[in-house]
Amino acid sequence: MIVRIVVALAVVLLANFSAYAQQPAPSRLDEIVKRGTLRVGMTGDYKPFTYLDKATQQFSGFDVDMAEALGKALGVKVEFVPTAWPKLMKDFEADQFDIAMGGVSVTFDRQKKGFFSMPIMREGKTPIARCADVGKYQTISDIDKKGTRVIVNPGGTNERFARANIKDAEINVFSDNTVIFDEIAKGNADLMMTDASETRYQQKQHSGVLCAVHPEKPFDFSEKAYWLQRDMALKAFVDQWLHISMEDGSYRKIYAAWFD
C-alpha cells in the first residue's frame, strides 16, 4: 500500500514537473511590456538618424521618431540610453538597452550577439568631398594616394571600411561626429567615406560646399536595421510593426520629414 502511494505521488510530482518545465520562459517582449518601458540605445551623433542636443539632453532624428512610433505600438514609454560607436557592442552585451537604433548597419559581428530586424534601408559607403573635388575621388584607387586626407569617426563601420581599403592615403580619426563634415568644408580633410544616406543629408546641410560622390552607386553593399537583444518574440513584433509601417505610409511619412 505504502509503495503504491509513493509511486502515485512520484507520478503526480513528475507530471507537475513536466508541466512546469514546458512553461515558456518570459520573453524580452513580455519583460518590456511588463516594465512599461522600451530602452533604446542611441549614439546621438549621426544626423539625420539621431542627434543628442547636449544643452537639453533631448534626442531628435529619423530613428528617434521611429523609436517613439515603436513604443506607441508596444504601448510603452521610450527611454533613450546614450551610447557611442566605440562602446556600442560592449553596452549591448551588458544589456544596457533592448534595442539599438540610430543608423545602425548590419554586420556579422553584431549578428553574433543579437538579432536584426528586417532591413529599413539599403546602404553603402561612398565619399563626400568639397564640390570642386568630386571628380578627384570617384574610385577607391583615386582616393588611396599619398597626400589624400581621409577623415573618419571612431569605432563604427566608417572607420572599419576606411582601414580595410586605404593603404597609402592618410586616415585621420576625428572624435566628434556631429561636426566632422565641417572639417572637410574648412579644408582640414579632403573627404569622408560614409553611408550614402548621410552623404545626401550632409550635402543639403552644406549646400554648394560639400557634394556626395555617386551616392546612387556606393562602393559596397550594406543595410541598416534595428539591433535587438536575442529574443524571437521581440524580433517578430518589430518586424511586423515595420512591415505594417511600410505598407500603411507611416514609415514614409517619417522618412520624408528627415530625408526628402
Side-chain angles (χ1 to χ4, degrees):
M1 183 68 172
I2 294 176
V3 172
R4 278 187 291 208
I5 291 173
V6 170
V7 171
L9 284 172
V11 170
V12 171
L13 289 172
L14 182 60
N16 288 339
F17 177 79
S18 298
Y20 176 79
Q22 291 172 8
Q23 292 287 328
S27 69
R28 173 71 59 139
L29 178 62
D30 295 331
E31 292 175 8
I32 291 167
V33 172
K34 184 178 180 180
R35 186 197 310 145
T37 304
L38 175 69
R39 300 172 305 157
V40 179
M42 282 201 168
T43 62
D45 66 348
Y46 187 7
K47 294 180 178 180
F49 294 96
T50 173
Y51 174 69
L52 175 61
D53 186 323
K54 294 180 180 178
T56 64
Q57 291 298 301
Q58 296 296 309
F59 282 91
S60 62
F62 169 76
D63 273 336
V64 176
D65 290 351
M66 289 293 287
E68 293 289 359
L70 174 56
K72 184 177 181 180
L74 284 163
V76 300
K77 295 180 180 179
V78 175
E79 176 189 347
F80 294 105
V81 181
T83 184
W85 297 112
K87 68 189 190 90
L88 180 64
M89 180 78 75
K90 182 179 179 180
D91 287 349
F92 185 89
E93 290 182 285
D95 196 13
Q96 295 296 306
F97 37 80
D98 305 301
I99 181 172
M101 303 174 72
V104 179
S105 296
V106 177
T107 69
F108 290 131
D109 287 343
R110 291 168 181 164
Q111 183 74 57
K112 290 176 186 176
K113 304 296 182 180
F115 290 150
F116 276 104
S117 70
M118 62 183 286
I120 63 163
M121 202 173 293
R122 184 186 177 108
E123 279 284 19
K125 302 300 182 189
T126 202
I128 182 169
R130 289 180 293 279
C131 293
D133 296 335
V134 166
K136 294 168 59 176
Y137 304 125
Q138 293 291 306
T139 66
I140 293 288
S141 59
D142 289 340
I143 294 168
D144 193 21
K145 294 178 179 178
K146 292 189 181 300
T148 302
R149 300 164 300 164
V150 178
I151 195 167
V152 298
N153 59 304
T157 57
N158 290 338
E159 183 179 10
R160 183 183 303 179
F161 181 84
R163 296 199 183 281
N165 290 279
I166 300 301
K167 307 304 176 187
D168 295 323
E170 178 183 336
I171 297 177
N172 295 317
V173 178
F174 189 81
S175 61
D176 191 348
N177 201 38
T178 63
V179 294
I180 195 169
F181 297 95
D182 295 338
E183 294 297 297
I184 305 171
K186 291 187 292 188
N188 295 333
D190 295 313
L191 72 136
M192 180 176 178
M193 291 181 289
T194 185
D195 296 319
S197 60
E198 186 174 33
T199 65
R200 290 188 178 101
Y201 177 80
Q202 291 297 335
Q203 177 177 265
K204 291 181 180 179
Q205 304 307 304
H206 299 82
S207 180
V209 178
L210 299 184
C211 287
V213 182
H214 53 64
E216 72 287 350
K217 293 182 179 179
F219 290 142
D220 67 350
F221 165 77
S222 67
E223 291 177 319
K224 292 199 184 304
Y226 299 138
W227 191 23
L228 311 158
Q229 295 289 348
R230 193 176 285 137
D231 180 78
M232 282 304 301
L234 179 59
K235 173 175 166 51
F237 186 95
V238 173
D239 283 347
Q240 186 63 38
W241 163 72
L242 280 171
H243 170 67
I244 292 172
S245 298
M246 291 176 180
E247 292 297 325
D248 70 8
S250 53
Y251 172 90
R252 178 60 196 169
K253 184 178 179 180
I254 295 174
Y255 182 94
W258 293 99
F259 290 96
D260 290 349

